[in-house]
Amino acid sequence: MSITVRFAPSPTGRLHAGNIRTALLNWMFAQKTDGRFLLRLDDTDRERSTEEFAQGIQEDLAWLGLDWADMARQSDRFDRYAAAVQRLKKIGRLYPAYETPEELELRRKRQLARGKPPIYDRAALNLTVEERARLEAEGHKPHWRFKLESRDVVWEDLVRGRQHVDAASLSDPVLVREDGTYLYTLPSVVDDIDLGITHVVRGEDHVANTAPQIQLFEALGATPPAFGHHNLLVRADGQALSKRERTLSIESLREEGLEALAVAIYAATIGTSDPVAPHAGMDELVSAFDFEKLSRAPARFDPDELRLLNAKLLHALPYDAVADRLRAMDIKGGREFWEAVRENLNVLADAKLWWRVVTGPLAPAIADSALCEKAAALLPPEPWDEATWAAWSSAVKDATGAKGKALFQPLRLALTGEDHGPELKALLPLIGRTRAAARLAGETA
Ligand code: GLU
């Protein structure tokens, strides 16, 4: 059987790391099994869904390298949902109910007070044709409930193992509201059937939807797909991630300059038994992927841990992986430059800073002018290489008697204007003799 999965966000906000985790798990599963990964925009809520968010979702997925084989929008498929509603009505599995939210709340309270589970009592099923006609004549519009079969629903969850739900303990879910709009439950099932979804992989917050949805698949004459419910990401303070929170959106992580690969690795590996560690590429992430590695506890999303991973990833990144992006930043230092500076970067854009240090103009910081003067006089002729620094600094040491920090710090400050940074043996040949001599003399160069 070939595997088809989908990522089904609502375009009512930008994606955050938690959404991306769902997308990644689906995408990795499809990659690993040679299956298909689809994008479905759950935009039945016409008021809250926007085209801008729909575009944003696609941008974020593309940036992360999560390519989809096909895309569907629920707003294009209302006729399919209407057909499913007709079918359910015809087989007696969808019934009208007229209770107001206040009435339902009151009933719930009464049930709880009597120590009973607060399940919808199906009073609407007992309405006679006359009673219904009277309610409608009074202007009441029905919402429509799916009549569950009172039986055990069982599925082998890809993450949580065997799950049992006694459908008799559930309220018949509302599928269609009074105003004719759909709740998420039905459109999702109709789409999963039409798109041939074989595995529904989604967050744990949807576990409670699964038993009714399984019955819905069956009522519509389809075999239910397999289900997997992964643990959720929470903020460091334990709160759920929210779409309204811009700071943890994928967009803001991208704007901060983080690597797409770091964001993907982080979102895919926190809350698993794998360590959060750099990978050479998405392929490695895919081969390490296994539902069994997901932990059951919520995973904490810590932006600082992500930043640290991003830095580690850059430090190990080969030149070829960044050459184009360096060129786009007008950095022409090539492999030598990259290998000299990469371990000093938190984000790739930091490379610009060190490129300025190499090419100038840069105002040096002269901490010891006597030492710098002597050092300038001792600069050997070019060509320079990685051995130049050791030979030159030891000549300066012999000439001045300075050693350790007293020797290296004034030289670093004069040559780079900074008190820390890449190894000078790598930087010095890139800076070159002309600029080095000028900076040691206190000139901007
Ligand atoms: N639109 C739903 C959500 O974003 C999809 C849930 C599902 O995957 O079934 O939560």
Side-chain angles (χ1 to χ4, degrees):
M1 175 189 66
S2 104
I3 283 168
T4 305
V5 290
R6 81 312 194 264
F7 172 51
S10 300
T12 54
R14 292 297 293 240
L15 298 179
H16 57 57
N19 306 128
I20 279 304
R21 181 178 174 78
T22 307
L24 270 159
L25 292 172
N26 277 287
W27 182 84
M28 292 190 294
F29 183 45
Q31 292 285 310
K32 193 153 189 171
T33 56
D34 229 348
R36 274 160 50 87
F37 170 75
L38 310 181
L39 172 60
R40 184 181 94 197
L41 295 175
D42 284 6
D43 58 353
T44 52
D45 183 341
R46 303 306 292 148
E47 254 153 51
R48 290 176 54 230
S49 302
T50 72
E51 187 48 36
E52 197 184 325
F53 287 136
Q55 290 300 330
I57 287 170
Q58 293 173 68
E59 246 170 57
D60 292 342
L61 291 175
W63 178 66
L64 288 162
L66 307 186
D67 42 350
W68 53 98
D70 211 347
M71 185 173 113
R73 288 178 191 256
Q74 292 196 323
S75 56
D76 290 338
R77 299 178 37 78
F78 284 118
D79 55 338
R80 297 294 300 146
Y81 311 145
V85 160
Q86 286 317 316
R87 178 164 178 172
L88 292 172
K89 283 183 185 169
K90 214 156 146 193
I91 58 172
R93 295 293 297 275
L94 197 65
Y95 63 93
Y98 298 83
E99 292 90 350
T100 63
E102 296 74 34
E103 271 175 282
L104 291 171
E105 187 50 33
L106 207 67
R107 254 185 240 177
R108 257 173 51 84
K109 281 194 183 139
R110 251 186 257 136
Q111 285 168 312
L112 286 170
R114 280 194 230 121
K116 287 193 174 159
I119 303 166
Y120 177 62
D121 60 8
R122 292 184 163 170
L125 272 179
N126 300 326
L127 292 174
T128 61
V129 177
E130 293 75 33
E131 283 168 328
R132 277 173 54 184
R134 185 178 47 76
L135 282 165
E136 303 218 354
E138 285 169 5
H140 295 282
K141 284 221 161 72
H143 49 271
W144 295 82
R145 288 187 186 262
F146 176 53
K147 192 173 168 206
L148 293 171
E149 285 173 348
S150 300
R151 58 178 167 85
D152 254 10
V153 178
V154 179
W155 77 92
E156 292 296 334
D157 197 281
L158 296 164
V159 181
R160 300 158 63 94
R162 198 176 179 80
Q163 305 285 302
H164 262 277
V165 176
D166 175 7
S169 70
L170 304 174
S171 293
D172 290 337
V174 177
L175 300 189
V176 189
R177 298 187 186 89
E178 284 77 2
D179 63 1
T181 59
Y182 297 99
L183 281 100
Y184 140 87
T185 316
L186 173 84
S188 184
V189 167
V190 173
D191 293 343
D192 288 340
I193 296 171
D194 287 355
L195 301 175
I197 301 302
T198 58
H199 294 71
V200 170
V201 177
R202 57 189 181 187
E204 233 165 34
D205 50 337
H206 282 290
V207 148
N209 294 328
T210 304
Q213 286 189 324
I214 286 176
Q215 288 208 5
L216 204 43
F217 276 101
E218 289 167 350
L220 291 170
T223 308
F227 286 87
H229 295 89
H230 63 76
N231 57 348
L232 298 179
L233 294 196
V234 293
R235 298 191 320 201
D237 62 6
Q239 296 289 312
L241 296 185
S242 151
K243 273 192 184 168
R244 280 167 283 284
E245 220 167 345
R246 237 193 73 82
T247 46
L248 290 181
S249 69
I250 300 306
E251 183 187 27
S252 71
L253 298 174
R254 178 171 67 221
E255 282 169 0
E256 185 179 327
L258 297 173
E259 299 293 297
L261 183 57
V263 174
I265 294 170
Y266 191 65
T269 50
I270 48 169
T272 73
S273 53
D274 280 338
V276 172
H279 283 286
M282 295 295 269
D283 292 355
E284 257 185 51
L285 204 56
V286 169
S287 41
F289 161 77
D290 192 332
F291 284 120
E292 297 214 329
K293 292 181 177 173
L294 289 171
S295 103
R296 293 289 299 273
R300 277 176 200 278
F301 182 92
D302 176 354
D304 288 331
E305 200 186 354
L306 167 58
R307 290 181 189 118
L308 200 67
L309 172 69
N310 192 76
K312 277 196 205 159
L313 191 85
L314 285 175
H315 302 172
L317 220 52
Y319 174 65
D320 298 329
V322 285
D324 290 347
R325 289 157 69 204
L326 291 177
R327 240 172 273 130
M329 287 192 275
D330 231 12
I331 293 175
K332 303 184 189 93
R335 191 176 302 276
E336 289 72 28
F337 171 75
W338 175 247
E339 283 168 7
V341 305
R342 65 179 171 182
E343 283 181 33
N344 288 271
L345 310 180
N346 290 315
V347 292
L348 188 71
D350 292 347
K352 286 193 234 171
L353 211 128
W354 297 113
W355 184 237
R356 262 272 324 271
V357 164
V358 166
T359 57
L362 180 110
I366 301 297
D368 182 338
S369 53
L371 180 133
C372 287
E373 209 175 298
K374 280 188 189 140
L378 289 167
L379 283 172
E382 287 180 313
W384 286 0
D385 59 23
E386 289 233 329
T388 307
W389 164 253
W392 173 57
S393 59
S394 105
V396 177
K397 177 179 162 193
D398 292 345
T400 60
K403 51 182 191 252
K405 207 174 168 201
L407 170 67
F408 300 126
Q409 199 64 345
L411 293 178
R412 178 178 284 284
L413 281 166
L415 291 169
T416 69
E418 304 281 340
D419 61 4
H420 69 284
E423 281 191 279
L424 285 166
K425 74 170 186 185
L427 273 191
L428 190 62
L430 295 166
I431 293 171
R433 195 177 194 288
T434 312
R435 271 187 293 266
R439 289 177 190 175
L440 287 163
E443 292 161 21
T444 294

